Amino acid sequence: MENSNEKKLHRAKKRVEELKGLFIHSTVYIVINSFILVNIYLRSNNEGEIFWKWKHFFVLFFWGIGLGFHAVNALNYNPFFSKKWEERQIQKYMEKDRQEADKFK
């Protein structure tokens, strides 16, 4: 029983650390990209710096994609490979193995 509680505690701590990492990542993303957007806005009167602006929008976009993947991982959200999908695949392969075993009997 004690070992089970220790495992649960370890999993809970790991989960909290993952969520904490996501919150920190989100905060850094918002702070830094807010600074970038304000900087772009303040420099918007100079038309010669359009390339400068686009580079930063790429940073926002691709960092946002990375943050999205981090969120999916930390929140255990997976619309494609859910627990039901895993169970169906397990049942499918177990049935296939059962059928192959029956062929050799």
Side-chain angles (χ1 to χ4, degrees):
M1 187 73 156
E2 186 66 30
N3 194 18
S4 176
N5 287 337
E6 287 176 14
K7 287 181 181 179
K8 288 179 183 179
L9 178 62
H10 178 70
R11 281 195 308 259
K13 284 183 178 181
K14 184 178 177 187
R15 181 91 172 104
V16 168
E17 286 297 318
E18 289 173 354
L19 291 172
K20 182 179 169 184
L22 174 63
F23 294 143
I24 291 170
H25 189 181
S26 299
T27 303
V28 170
Y29 177 82
I30 290 168
V31 168
I32 297 221
N33 287 304
S34 296
F35 174 76
I36 289 172
L37 290 173
V38 167
N39 191 15
I40 289 171
Y41 176 74
L42 292 176
R43 294 176 176 226
S44 65
N45 59 356
N46 191 352
E47 292 297 323
E49 296 183 357
I50 193 74
F51 181 69
W52 172 260
K53 295 174 192 175
W54 283 107
K55 284 194 310 187
H56 287 86
F57 285 118
F58 284 117
V59 169
L60 270 125
F61 178 73
F62 288 110
W63 191 359
I65 289 174
L67 180 61
F69 281 118
H70 189 171
V72 164
N73 185 34
L75 299 174
N76 292 326
Y77 176 72
N78 193 343
F80 303 110
F81 303 113
S82 65
K83 291 289 182 189
K84 288 182 180 180
W85 178 85
E86 287 179 17
E87 291 172 7
R88 285 193 310 267
Q89 294 302 315
I90 290 169
Q91 291 300 321
K92 181 174 91 173
Y93 288 117
M94 287 174 60
E95 182 61 30
K96 185 177 178 183
D97 286 346
R98 205 171 307 137
Q99 289 174 357
E100 287 179 5
D102 288 343
K103 286 181 185 177
F104 294 112
K105 284 185 179 181

